[in-house]
Amino acid sequence: MKITILCVGKIKEKYFADAIAEYSKRLSRYCKLEIIEVTDEKTPDHASQTEVDQIKAKEGERLLKYTRDDAYKIVLAIQGRRMTSEKFSSYIEQLGVRGVSHIQFFIGGSLGLDDRIIQKADCALSFSDMTFPHQLMRVILLEQIYRGYRIQFGEPYHK
Ligand SMILES: C[S@@+](CC[C@H](N)C(=O)[O-])C[C@H]1O[C@@H](n2cnc3c(N)ncnc32)[C@H](O)[C@@H]1O
């Protein structure tokens, strides 16, 4: 399986970069992982709704260049569908059984994802009602993909 994580914004903190590097190394046993970062726009303080929409549209345009018609697209969204780690593991496994060979995950920037990306998605996935910063979200997603593979292959991993 090829897994692409498309993200708006760069990783600025070393501790996040270290965690991403660690999970990327661990995942190399299970899938072909690719991480694509697109540039985020500066958000003015007290941005109007029009400015917010314009910023999201620009970031969305950058993400759209990388969307692949043949990939199964999962957007990370607070209002999305919730699953346990076990369910997430079997969901990814079942996609493979159905012949999906490429999954694209999308993580928005500080203002969230452009509607055009959300509309293209096959699934919207929520990790809770809480809002996580995009840098941390990338780490959490990688950990859950790793956990999912460990569950799928019946390999021990701390509960
Ligand atoms: C700082 S959040 C953006 C918050 C923005 N107000 C929104 O509603 O999307 C950055 C990105 O992280 C992801 N994210 C943050 N919290 C999440 C959660 N609980 N579940 C799923 N994705 C989340 C989403 O992709 C979001 O676009």
Side-chain angles (χ1 to χ4, degrees), residues 15 24-26 57 74 76 91 135 144 151:
Y15 47 87
S24 300
K25 190 174 81 183
R26 293 188 193 187
I74 302 178
L76 270 58
Y91 190 80
Q135 298 189 79
Q144 286 298 306
I151 293 168

PDB file of all heavy atoms in Angstrom, residues 15 24-26 57 74 76 91 135 144 151:
ATOM      1  N   TYR A  15      10.825  18.575  18.044  1.00  0.00           N
ATOM      2  CA  TYR A  15      10.259  17.388  18.680  1.00  0.00           C
ATOM      3  C   TYR A  15       9.169  16.755  17.821  1.00  0.00           C
ATOM      4  O   TYR A  15       9.005  15.543  17.817  1.00  0.00           O
ATOM      5  CB  TYR A  15       9.770  17.679  20.109  1.00  0.00           C
ATOM      6  CG  TYR A  15       8.945  18.916  20.280  1.00  0.00           C
ATOM      7  CD1 TYR A  15       7.575  18.899  20.091  1.00  0.00           C
ATOM      8  CD2 TYR A  15       9.547  20.124  20.645  1.00  0.00           C
ATOM      9  CE1 TYR A  15       6.809  20.044  20.271  1.00  0.00           C
ATOM     10  CE2 TYR A  15       8.781  21.278  20.817  1.00  0.00           C
ATOM     11  CZ  TYR A  15       7.421  21.229  20.621  1.00  0.00           C
ATOM     12  OH  TYR A  15       6.666  22.370  20.778  1.00  0.00           O
ATOM     13  N   SER A  24       7.846   7.371  10.648  1.00  0.00           N
ATOM     14  CA  SER A  24       8.077   7.107   9.222  1.00  0.00           C
ATOM     15  C   SER A  24       9.010   5.910   9.075  1.00  0.00           C
ATOM     16  O   SER A  24       8.800   5.042   8.211  1.00  0.00           O
ATOM     17  CB  SER A  24       8.702   8.330   8.541  1.00  0.00           C
ATOM     18  OG  SER A  24       7.844   9.434   8.653  1.00  0.00           O
ATOM     19  N   LYS A  25      10.038   5.858   9.940  1.00  0.00           N
ATOM     20  CA  LYS A  25      10.982   4.723   9.901  1.00  0.00           C
ATOM     21  C   LYS A  25      10.247   3.429  10.247  1.00  0.00           C
ATOM     22  O   LYS A  25      10.380   2.426   9.541  1.00  0.00           O
ATOM     23  CB  LYS A  25      12.116   4.987  10.903  1.00  0.00           C
ATOM     24  CG  LYS A  25      13.270   4.017  10.782  1.00  0.00           C
ATOM     25  CD  LYS A  25      14.398   4.426  11.676  1.00  0.00           C
ATOM     26  CE  LYS A  25      14.136   3.965  13.106  1.00  0.00           C
ATOM     27  NZ  LYS A  25      15.120   4.370  14.072  1.00  0.00           N
ATOM     28  N   ARG A  26       9.444   3.473  11.302  1.00  0.00           N
ATOM     29  CA  ARG A  26       8.716   2.266  11.708  1.00  0.00           C
ATOM     30  C   ARG A  26       7.748   1.803  10.620  1.00  0.00           C
ATOM     31  O   ARG A  26       7.562   0.610  10.395  1.00  0.00           O
ATOM     32  CB  ARG A  26       7.916   2.536  12.988  1.00  0.00           C
ATOM     33  CG  ARG A  26       8.781   2.772  14.197  1.00  0.00           C
ATOM     34  CD  ARG A  26       7.896   2.824  15.414  1.00  0.00           C
ATOM     35  NE  ARG A  26       8.597   3.333  16.580  1.00  0.00           N
ATOM     36  CZ  ARG A  26       8.086   3.352  17.798  1.00  0.00           C
ATOM     37  NH1 ARG A  26       6.861   2.888  17.996  1.00  0.00           N
ATOM     38  NH2 ARG A  26       8.754   3.818  18.813  1.00  0.00           N
ATOM     39  N   ALA A  57      -8.891  28.682   0.074  1.00  0.00           N
ATOM     40  CA  ALA A  57      -8.940  28.373  -1.365  1.00  0.00           C
ATOM     41  C   ALA A  57      -7.524  28.275  -1.938  1.00  0.00           C
ATOM     42  O   ALA A  57      -7.226  27.371  -2.742  1.00  0.00           O
ATOM     43  CB  ALA A  57      -9.745  29.434  -2.104  1.00  0.00           C
ATOM     44  N   ILE A  74      -8.864  10.412   2.210  1.00  0.00           N
ATOM     45  CA  ILE A  74      -9.400  10.562   3.570  1.00  0.00           C
ATOM     46  C   ILE A  74      -8.994  11.936   4.097  1.00  0.00           C
ATOM     47  O   ILE A  74      -7.795  12.234   4.199  1.00  0.00           O
ATOM     48  CB  ILE A  74      -8.862   9.456   4.517  1.00  0.00           C
ATOM     49  CG1 ILE A  74      -9.219   8.060   3.973  1.00  0.00           C
ATOM     50  CG2 ILE A  74      -9.403   9.655   5.936  1.00  0.00           C
ATOM     51  CD1 ILE A  74      -8.696   6.895   4.817  1.00  0.00           C
ATOM     52  N   LEU A  76      -8.906  14.626   7.201  1.00  0.00           N
ATOM     53  CA  LEU A  76      -9.011  14.694   8.657  1.00  0.00           C
ATOM     54  C   LEU A  76      -9.850  15.909   9.003  1.00  0.00           C
ATOM     55  O   LEU A  76      -9.517  17.038   8.599  1.00  0.00           O
ATOM     56  CB  LEU A  76      -7.623  14.783   9.294  1.00  0.00           C
ATOM     57  CG  LEU A  76      -7.001  13.419   9.630  1.00  0.00           C
ATOM     58  CD1 LEU A  76      -6.876  12.555   8.403  1.00  0.00           C
ATOM     59  CD2 LEU A  76      -5.676  13.568  10.329  1.00  0.00           C
ATOM     60  N   TYR A  91     -10.352  -1.077   8.625  1.00  0.00           N
ATOM     61  CA  TYR A  91     -10.790  -0.213   7.514  1.00  0.00           C
ATOM     62  C   TYR A  91      -9.681  -0.123   6.456  1.00  0.00           C
ATOM     63  O   TYR A  91      -9.924  -0.312   5.256  1.00  0.00           O
ATOM     64  CB  TYR A  91     -11.110   1.168   8.086  1.00  0.00           C
ATOM     65  CG  TYR A  91     -11.804   2.131   7.150  1.00  0.00           C
ATOM     66  CD1 TYR A  91     -13.179   2.047   6.929  1.00  0.00           C
ATOM     67  CD2 TYR A  91     -11.101   3.135   6.503  1.00  0.00           C
ATOM     68  CE1 TYR A  91     -13.826   2.935   6.087  1.00  0.00           C
ATOM     69  CE2 TYR A  91     -11.738   4.029   5.655  1.00  0.00           C
ATOM     70  CZ  TYR A  91     -13.094   3.927   5.453  1.00  0.00           C
ATOM     71  OH  TYR A  91     -13.729   4.814   4.617  1.00  0.00           O
ATOM     72  N   GLN A 135       0.505  20.280  13.284  1.00  0.00           N
ATOM     73  CA  GLN A 135       1.791  19.553  13.435  1.00  0.00           C
ATOM     74  C   GLN A 135       1.589  18.300  14.300  1.00  0.00           C
ATOM     75  O   GLN A 135       2.093  17.220  13.989  1.00  0.00           O
ATOM     76  CB  GLN A 135       2.829  20.444  14.104  1.00  0.00           C
ATOM     77  CG  GLN A 135       3.168  21.695  13.328  1.00  0.00           C
ATOM     78  CD  GLN A 135       4.356  22.409  13.953  1.00  0.00           C
ATOM     79  OE1 GLN A 135       5.496  22.021  13.753  1.00  0.00           O
ATOM     80  NE2 GLN A 135       4.096  23.449  14.722  1.00  0.00           N
ATOM     81  N   GLN A 144      -1.305   6.327  14.585  1.00  0.00           N
ATOM     82  CA  GLN A 144      -2.492   5.474  14.414  1.00  0.00           C
ATOM     83  C   GLN A 144      -2.355   4.556  13.196  1.00  0.00           C
ATOM     84  O   GLN A 144      -2.841   3.423  13.224  1.00  0.00           O
ATOM     85  CB  GLN A 144      -3.761   6.330  14.312  1.00  0.00           C
ATOM     86  CG  GLN A 144      -4.181   6.921  15.648  1.00  0.00           C
ATOM     87  CD  GLN A 144      -4.516   5.852  16.690  1.00  0.00           C
ATOM     88  OE1 GLN A 144      -5.329   4.971  16.460  1.00  0.00           O
ATOM     89  NE2 GLN A 144      -3.870   5.944  17.854  1.00  0.00           N
ATOM     90  N   ILE A 151      -1.815  -3.954  14.740  1.00  0.00           N
ATOM     91  CA  ILE A 151      -3.047  -4.702  15.047  1.00  0.00           C
ATOM     92  C   ILE A 151      -3.337  -5.681  13.914  1.00  0.00           C
ATOM     93  O   ILE A 151      -3.603  -6.862  14.134  1.00  0.00           O
ATOM     94  CB  ILE A 151      -4.237  -3.722  15.257  1.00  0.00           C
ATOM     95  CG1 ILE A 151      -4.037  -2.871  16.510  1.00  0.00           C
ATOM     96  CG2 ILE A 151      -5.562  -4.494  15.321  1.00  0.00           C
ATOM     97  CD1 ILE A 151      -5.006  -1.694  16.654  1.00  0.00           C
TER      98      ILE A 151
END
